[in-house]
Amino acid sequence: MGSVIIEKMTKQFGEFTALHDINLEIQEGEFFALLGPSGCGKTTTMRCIAGFEQPTSGKIKIGEKEVEKIPANRRNCGMVFQSYALFPHMNVFDNVAYSLNIKQLNASNPVKQLGIYARLLSKRLGRTPKDIQEKVMKILKYVELDQHADRLTSELSGGQQQRVALARALVMEPAVLLMDEPLSNLDQKLRHSMRNTIRTIQQDLGITTIFVTHDQEEAMSMADRVAVMDKGNIVQIGTPTELYSNPLTPFIADFVGTSNIIDVEIVEQINGTIKLKGDNFLLQSTNTIEKKQAKAIIRPEHIQVLPYDTDVNKEEVNVLEGIVLMSTYLGPTVRYDMKVGDQEIIVDTTYSSGISIFEEGRKVKLSIDHGRVLLI
Amino acid sequence: MKARFNGLSVVKILIYAFFGLFLLIPLLAVFLISFTNEPVNIIGSFTDPAILSSSIEKLKAINLDNYRQIFSNAGYLDSLKNSLSLALVVMVLVILICIPLAYGIARTNMPFKKTISALCTIPLIIPTFISAYAFIIMFGRAGWVTHFYELLGGDGMLINPYSMTGIVLVQVFFFFPYALWPLVAAFKISDVTLEEASLNLGAKNWFTFIFVTFPLAIPGIISSALLIFTVSFSDFGTPIVLAPKDLNLMVVEAYREISGFFNWGGAAILTVIMIIVAAFFFWLQHILTKGKNYGSVSGKPKQQKMVTNKVLTRSLSVYSFLIVLVPLLALLSVLLQSVATTWGKDLLPSGYTLKHYQTIFSTSLGNIQNSVILAIGALVLSVIIAIFVSYFVVRQNSAKMDFMTSIPLVVPGIAFGIALIQTFNVAPLQLTGTAILLIIAYTIRRLPYMVRSTMGAMRAIKQDIEEAAINLGATPLTAAITVIGPLLLPGIAAGSVLVFITVIKETSISILLAPPEWAPMSLAIFQNILRAEYYSAAAMSVILVALVLVLQGLANYIGKKQRL
Ligand SMILES: Nc1ncnc2c1ncn2[C@@H]1O[C@H](COP(=O)(O)OP(=O)(O)OP(=O)(O)O)[C@@H](O)[C@H]1O
Ligand SMILES: [Mg+2]
């Protein structure tokens, strides 16, 4: 087990810089997600940690130890590949036993090594030692695959293959578990249940885990902390709630959940309240900002829709007039596209029976707490 | 990335050096000699200043006389014309013969389809000079067909095997499978929905075939036609046995120039022209088939309605049997001849004996042994080279390596042989007449098959599987042994059998390069045919074909196991 520390890591492929000066500190036992759009460098970061790529500059420490000189096969990072990368010529048992066999191989003298090679190449040439068998069966039971130990991996479903890959990485008791978009090949339903499986196992074993994904929901629901990456940079690191309520940039606000990102001009500041001017409407915010031009971030669910004739007379609340452009029924929520001034805004309201949906073209009132208007 | 100088890059350099020395330099040498009209010792020029200066002298004297000669020397021009028209006629006939056959196999429920398909592989296991020789047994002056023809009231020979017609027929009946399978694939993938639409609109079957099915198969037909053209043009076995003295063909002419008259310039110029023609048609075929992979599409056939019309399927079946009957009878004729006491102008031999086999096992065992040793040598060498080449091509995207190892595909065997002789018959690397050069020649000539086979297997192994092994603690070597190796093995095995078979069948290289003490079976048979020792030639041919059959069976077995 160990922490992972990355200091000023840069990775270039020829002229192209895939990673700029990355800094990360991942605690022991933490479930850490790397989140970002396609091509932002998540896989590259992970491959540098695993030792498949050499960083152009910078340091990586696993469990306090610098790993630059340690080749990939001795880094003890268990990796779960996006495509699972199971060995097609071995059954489930042998896939999982592989690392233990290799460990034994590396610790043996050349004569014994020949025997182990023979055993690895053909089952008929030797039996797997008892202790390895026991360990493998234990982990297979753990991922509920002990019934399928003799199957070829091609005879398994996607979710089962995923669990073989996980078991194969876990059985070597790695210092860190690296997972590169492990759920992206699964269908929606399976993905949800595998999220729980992975999270539970991680908590159970307390293993330091780095989890790569471009699905924000996945990252937010599973990870202790999330690093958001963009174009080879780390833009923000924080707990899911921090990222959600305090996005540092419009990019994050947009990437982590849905946001209304509105260009505003600061009109004046009085007693901690800022008056803002948007495109033909006014807003107030209790957040602070030093700039003249800013972006106001408002989450769709932080806006309330009220009938036009409602009187709202509360302090600290923005009341705006809007027109419904479109309403979309999304099950538990209703999403409205609204026009406020000359700005289009998305509003999510919880739908419960008895409340009528405002039809298109209807004039409504919108209320937003001053505190919910974030400024960047 | 730092350029790492490791074991692999040394291997890469060695492979380039090997191909440079044994393929590129010889080809360059022939090219130069075609201008200088005198031997140019390229390798010697690097080691000996005296040779270098004489080479430079020769290069200064470069002229186009030789090339002018093509047009003045009636012999050369004739041979080019004859070779081109031979290839053209064979190409057209093969396609005409194959279209109904392919359609029958691909799209109808004709009776005995499996049997016919199996019989269609016979031509592929018989080297062409044995097929040519079989035609002599059948159609020659004392052949049983000739006898039969006379019984029916005919006069003289039905077909003179020693003629252009004879050569055309042998090539047509023994090369048609090369076109057949691509054509079957082309008919299989033709858009069935279009055909059904046409039928739904009330069109008749034959109308649908001519205006819908056939046009859709045209790209496949053209590409098969070009392939046949190249194969026929480069074939050495048939013409060398059957071409009469007054019929000039490039391959024969080139062979005579080098082995009869030691005319360096003449042989070189013929070689250069042969390579250019073969390469041109190969290239044409390549650009036409680019992006269209018939083989892989046919792996997942759409649901196709098979034609069941009784009249049509039965006549197709009869027709197909007639086509495959010729190679089958040819093979049987060789078999009969090998066990005949004497077989004069009669339908059947006058008696049967195993004497010829005894003779072979007492006097010619050496040839069989040579064939096997040479084939194993070429096999080991090509396995080693092919594994590395496919690693470089697949894992490091080395397009140069890919290109270089495909060059042998376009060089006719006789041309390659001449190039090797001209380069290695003098010091410092005098290898002509050694088994080593023979093995190297076989290896280079057949390497493309091996590379394709291993490359396919290597492609199927995703990079991350290798990385997974390393991630789990294996060193690259251990990963290679325990993961890459086992996954590559079926590809290597399939390629090996193919290389072994083609080396045993190889004619042109063996005839040109094999020294007497290393004469393989093919050379021995060839010499027996030349000496008119037909019975032992037949027995040896049967042994060769049997060997090929066994290996082919092995290959099929491996292939089947692989697919499971
Ligand atoms: N071996 C390589 N050579 C050149 N460029 C590379 C190489 N590997 C990655 N890159 C580039 O580096 C950038 C980051 O790639 P990376 O695979 O890390 O993205 P990613 O965040 O994992 O994306 P995805 O979500 O699509 O998997 C990309 O622009 C990619 O094209
Ligand atoms: Mg990736």
Side-chain angles (χ1 to χ4, degrees), chain A residues 300-308 310 312 320 322-324 334-338 345-350 355-359 362-368:
Chain A
E301 66 273 24
H302 291 156
I303 307 174
Q304 260 185 302
V305 189
L306 307 162
Y308 191 68
T310 321
V312 192
L320 305 171
I323 297 175
V324 179
V334 178
R335 169 163 293 186
Y336 291 105
D337 288 16
M338 296 271 183
I345 286 179
I346 305 172
V347 182
D348 285 343
T349 55
T350 18
I355 294 178
S356 60
I357 297 177
F358 298 98
E359 69 274 22
R362 179 86 171 262
K363 268 183 134 186
V364 292
K365 274 194 180 141
L366 305 176
S367 81
I368 310 160

Side-chain angles (χ1 to χ4, degrees), chain A residues 100-354:
Chain A
L100 301 177
N101 282 320
I102 296 295
K103 206 178 261 174
Q104 198 201 14
L105 180 89
N106 290 341
S108 314
N109 61 38
V111 181
K112 265 200 175 156
Q113 280 189 352
L114 279 182
I116 298 173
Y117 273 128
R119 190 181 87 216
L120 283 173
L121 289 176
S122 169
K123 278 243 166 84
R124 276 173 228 140
L125 298 177
R127 304 185 107 244
T128 312
K130 261 262 152 51
D131 53 326
I132 294 185
Q133 281 191 26
E134 276 164 14
K135 268 193 187 161
V136 172
M137 286 320 288
K138 197 172 132 203
I139 197 99
L140 280 179
K141 198 165 261 165
Y142 190 60
V143 295
E144 296 171 17
L145 278 174
D146 45 331
Q147 305 291 328
H148 299 317
D150 294 330
R151 289 232 205 143
L152 279 179
T153 54
S154 53
E155 299 164 349
L156 298 178
S157 72
Q160 290 168 332
Q161 291 182 9
Q162 171 69 74
R163 280 179 282 156
V164 177
L166 190 60
R168 188 178 67 174
L170 287 175
V171 82
M172 64 192 271
E173 295 169 9
V176 231
L177 182 63
L178 305 173
M179 299 198 203
D180 193 355
E181 312 208 20
L183 305 182
S184 61
N185 282 336
L186 303 179
D187 64 43
Q188 189 72 24
K189 249 197 178 150
L190 207 51
R191 213 179 293 174
H192 277 272
S193 76
M194 275 310 289
R195 270 188 208 169
N196 293 334
T197 313
I198 291 176
R199 176 69 194 175
T200 316
I201 290 175
Q202 190 271 340
Q203 292 287 301
D204 247 25
L205 304 177
I207 186 170
T208 315
T209 300
I210 304 178
F211 184 96
V212 161
T213 177
H214 60 250
D215 179 341
Q216 52 101 8
E217 207 186 306
E218 217 166 85
M220 306 296 266
S221 64
M222 295 170 79
D224 296 322
R225 281 194 307 151
V226 179
V228 184
M229 294 185 70
D230 184 27
K231 298 188 186 112
N233 293 296
I234 290 189
V235 213
Q236 187 173 4
I237 303 177
T239 62
T241 19
E242 274 167 11
L243 289 182
Y244 194 78
S245 50
N246 265 320
L248 284 181
T249 67
F251 167 79
I252 296 175
D254 196 36
F255 200 77
V256 179
T258 319
S259 289
N260 291 296
I261 302 173
I262 303 163
D263 285 313
V264 290
E265 197 177 305
I266 281 85
V267 184
E268 56 177 344
Q269 296 204 29
I270 329 164
N271 311 333
T273 308
I274 304 184
K275 290 196 170 166
L276 309 161
K277 190 168 162 300
D279 206 353
N280 274 329
F281 65 96
L282 295 172
L283 272 178
Q284 294 190 29
S285 167
T286 44
N287 291 297
T288 50
I289 185 115
E290 299 299 317
K291 294 187 283 190
K292 195 90 186 81
Q293 300 286 336
K295 291 196 192 294
I297 311 278
I298 309 171
R299 297 283 180 192
E301 66 273 24
H302 291 156
I303 307 174
Q304 260 185 302
V305 189
L306 307 162
Y308 191 68
D309 50 17
T310 321
D311 264 332
V312 192
N313 243 338
K314 265 193 264 173
E315 287 282 310
E316 315 255 296
V317 174
N318 292 291
V319 181
L320 305 171
E321 291 181 6
I323 297 175
V324 179
L325 296 178
M326 196 166 78
S327 60
T328 320
Y329 179 70
L330 300 171
T333 60
V334 178
R335 169 163 293 186
Y336 291 105
D337 288 16
M338 296 271 183
K339 187 139 200 176
V340 175
D342 285 322
Q343 176 79 42
E344 283 190 23
I345 286 179
I346 305 172
V347 182
D348 285 343
T349 55
T350 18
Y351 176 80
S352 54
S353 55

